[in-house]
Amino acid sequence: MTAAPATPTPAPKTNPRSRVVIASLVGTSIEFYDFYVYATAAVLVFPTLFFPNEDPTASQLSSFVTFALAFFARPVGSVLFGHFGDRIGRKTTLVASLLVMGTATFLIGCLPTFDTIGIWAPVLLAVMRFAQGVGLGGEWSGAALLATENAPQGKRGVFGSMPQLGAPIGFLLANGLFIAINAAMPAGADGTPNADFQAWGWRIPFLLSAVLVLIGLYVRFRLVESPAFRGVQETGSVAKVPLARVFRTSWKAVVVGTFGMVATYVLFYFMTTFTLAYGTTATSMVPKVGLGYTRGEFLTLLMIGVVFFGIFTPVAGILADKFGRRRTLIPTTIGIALFGLTFQLWFAASQGPITVVTFLIVGLSLMGLTFGPMGALLPELFPTNVRYTGSALAYNLASILGASLAPTIAVALWKPDGDIFLVGLYLTIAAVVTLVALLLVRETRGTDLDEAEARQAVAAGREAR
């Protein structure tokens, strides 16, 4: 009697590479799009529309307080979404983080102003901004894991750089849209805001974010779980409390990951937020002397620099795959430290557009080179069953240390006569801190993230669970 042929076991489903790239890129694009849209609105319209009963300076400060809420909410989001990302999977958590973030952004565009509902207007604005921060706290890590855990062998660096491209793309989308709206609804000759822009024009960028969210949801619902996390599920090694597990078994990775990214954040906010303030402050203004460009003029120069940010982000991913994460990041960090020492020298002889745009290109090219490999490095520092939580914590703690205070410190170091040497020196100090962390971190290029690595993580950490 002939035995029946064995039925072949169907191969597990995998995610197409194009779907992985789009799904990981769209969320971080929304993240940075939201940052720039909110930052611009916090300067142009929120002070008068949501805090009208205060004097102009107090209104602006109140508006910036709501802006800063997201930084405090991001660690909450990293713990919340990290918990579920390590417990139930990357796909479901990525959908949830995008929904939280996208819904909050859209609802800001629908909020009634102070004239309509009084004190509830700034309260609701603060609530929505906090919700944005919670969503953002889980978004980057999930996107980075989606890219790296589904990357072909030897390509994790370049795949991990795809979520990082969200920063330049979000900048170009947000500021390009605001430039177009300002052109259609220009301010008066005396600087008086356009009535239509104040009434409804400012809402357009927030409402249009829904388009990006719908694209992101469509792609993410079609994903399947990553092979690395399926390996954790199959071996029964899912961490019961990922946060506690991270601090028991991977606290060193959290520390070096956090400080390894501090210079990246300082450089990013210096080259975008601070340079915008410095570039658009009048050359005759005392106590702060700037470059004297209009906002539109400087944004145009900044957008040219951001194009180079976008170019060098995947270039850095390619270099990280070829030479290793440390061999790419250490020379780049040294370059950032030297660049910080030259801040004032750039403008000693000329403040013309060629000088300014060259300065921006150099700084933002360095930004791409340091930011690109982080999408692979941070996830690779952690075992699979706590990778979401661990990488999210490192990324968002670095944002607090490197980003939350950077613009304020930069303004404080900006001398009344316009000298910005100390601003650059602060960047150099941040780069030295990051350099020390990178010298301590292990090379992760060859780290195995598949099921075998998951089983190894189980064996190494079963007792600590």
Side-chain angles (χ1 to χ4, degrees), residues 149-278:
E149 291 184 345
N150 287 280
Q153 186 171 359
K155 299 291 184 181
R156 276 205 311 268
V158 70
F159 266 65
S161 70
M162 292 298 104
Q164 313 300 71
L165 271 175
I169 289 174
F171 183 95
L172 294 172
L173 286 175
N175 285 287
L177 184 56
F178 261 111
I179 288 174
I181 293 172
N182 284 333
M185 305 175 184
D190 59 351
T192 304
N194 184 284
D196 288 336
F197 181 79
Q198 292 290 103
W200 56 269
W202 69 269
R203 300 179 185 273
I204 294 173
F206 291 96
L207 299 178
L208 285 181
S209 69
V211 176
L212 290 173
V213 172
L214 290 175
I215 294 172
L217 288 175
Y218 171 75
V219 176
R220 288 182 176 183
F221 271 121
R222 300 178 67 198
L223 294 171
V224 296
E225 195 54 77
S226 72
F229 187 76
R230 287 202 302 266
V232 168
Q233 291 177 313
E234 291 168 4
T235 57
S237 60
V238 175
K240 295 179 181 178
V241 185
L243 180 63
R245 178 70 177 273
V246 164
F247 282 113
R248 275 201 301 265
T249 64
S250 301
W251 65 268
K252 291 181 181 178
V254 172
V255 173
V256 296
T258 297
F259 286 99
M261 210 178 160
V262 165
T264 304
Y265 269 110
V266 173
L267 178 63
F268 178 71
Y269 283 89
F270 275 15
M271 296 309 300
T272 54
T273 305
F274 172 73
T275 59
L276 185 57
Y278 177 64

Side-chain angles (χ1 to χ4, degrees), residues 29 72 206 238 245 301 347:
S29 296
F72 296 96
F206 291 96
V238 175
R245 178 70 177 273
L301 298 176
F347 307 107

Side-chain angles (χ1 to χ4, degrees), residues 31 34 38 64-82 97 100-101 104 125-140 265 392-393 395-397 399-400 404:
E31 172 184 351
D34 159 69
Y38 197 100
F64 281 147
V65 167
T66 63
F67 174 74
L69 276 175
F71 287 107
F72 296 96
R74 284 172 70 160
V76 176
S78 67
V79 172
L80 175 65
F81 288 106
S97 67
V100 170
M101 180 174 61
L125 180 66
V127 170
M128 291 299 103
R129 182 59 178 165
F130 191 87
Q132 280 183 325
V134 170
L136 296 178
E139 173 58 37
W140 178 87
Y265 269 110
L393 276 174
Y395 182 82
N396 289 300
L397 289 174
S399 77
I400 294 176
S404 60

Side-chain angles (χ1 to χ4, degrees), residues 102-126:
T103 301
T105 303
F106 180 82
L107 289 178
I108 288 174
C110 302
L111 286 179
T113 61
F114 191 93
D115 288 343
T116 304
I117 60 172
I119 191 64
W120 286 106
V123 170
L124 290 175
L125 180 66

